[in-house]
Amino acid sequence: MSSLTLSFLVALAISGVQVTANCACGYKDSSGHVWREAIISTFTQSAGALAAVNNDWIIATDFEAQGGTATANIQYTAANVFQYQDALGLKASAHTGGGSVNCAEIFTKRSDILYGSFRMQAQVPSVPGAVFGFFTYISDTQEQDIEFLSSDVDYYQQVHYTNQPGLLNGNTDPNAAKDVTIPGADFTTFGVHRFDWLPTQTVYSYAGSGLTSQTIISKNVPTTASEFILNVWSNGDPEWSHGPPTADAIATVQYVNLYFNSTSFSATAFNSACSAAGHIAPCSV
């Protein structure tokens, strides 16, 4: 590596931009999109899942009062983000009635993510009464979600994809929210859940159990830089989460790989970094 390349990458690291020397010309996905940056969180690493969390994520400890038809409040707690079966566990704790449900959430230290390809390899909770979410968020109208509801009858093969707002005149907007059943899938085994956030559409997909599935939503595609969130929660709402769970509802995550552009690392700066690295080929992802 040349001293110029090293100096450039050190300057980027200090600024918070995340590019490795071997991928200074970006990360090229299977559709040909090249993303400038990456957050690679391998929760099965020898240093442990929480070491990977601490590198790039913040563990939520918020209290969220609930209204409407919810029967319990949400208390995010650090104890519910934990090492579990050589991976990362996120859990909504068993609830015995009254008060709040202890839940789990991690979110990226960065909130400047704008477009990208986002993947996780995970098992969904099997205890009824919880929601497992994988999504970008900056506001209730700038959000795109993959959600699994463990109270769905076919929770092991049903997934909810939404570009918020998912309602239109109080009803589900079929152009912004899609409930997808993948016959033959088993989300209780490890599979890859993914969405690609593009300027004109969000492409949601699944690969696992020897199957692949893809769903495209072109309405309500976010346009604002956002953070990335994973959570497992319940508020007892009979219209969504159901529950709360009477036993621990645990999602198990082996990895999260985020390939993205950001408002902190411009195309001009990226091109300069790639040039300094000798215009090497993008890393295939």
Side-chain angles (χ1 to χ4, degrees), residues 146-221:
I146 295 179
E147 291 181 295
F148 308 92
L149 308 185
S150 63
S151 284
D152 283 343
V153 172
D154 51 356
Y155 72 94
Y156 54 89
Q157 60 181 8
Q158 185 169 5
V159 56
H160 302 264
Y161 299 136
T162 310
N163 285 3
Q164 300 288 357
L167 298 178
L168 182 64
N169 299 323
N171 299 309
T172 298
D173 182 348
N175 293 315
K178 297 185 182 293
D179 299 341
V180 176
T181 300
I182 305 172
D186 184 0
F187 298 161
T188 66
T189 63
F190 286 107
V192 177
H193 301 275
R194 166 178 172 174
F195 66 93
D196 291 6
W197 175 16
L198 306 174
T200 60
Q201 61 185 14
T202 308
V203 182
Y204 295 95
S205 61
Y206 164 75
S209 306
L211 304 168
T212 59
S213 172
Q214 184 179 95
T215 300
I216 296 174
I217 297 179
S218 300
K219 187 173 183 180
N220 298 341
V221 178

Side-chain angles (χ1 to χ4, degrees), residues 251-264:
T252 312
V253 186
Q254 291 184 324
Y255 70 72
V256 172
N257 293 344
L258 311 178
Y259 306 100
F260 58 93
N261 294 342
S262 76
T263 54
S264 300

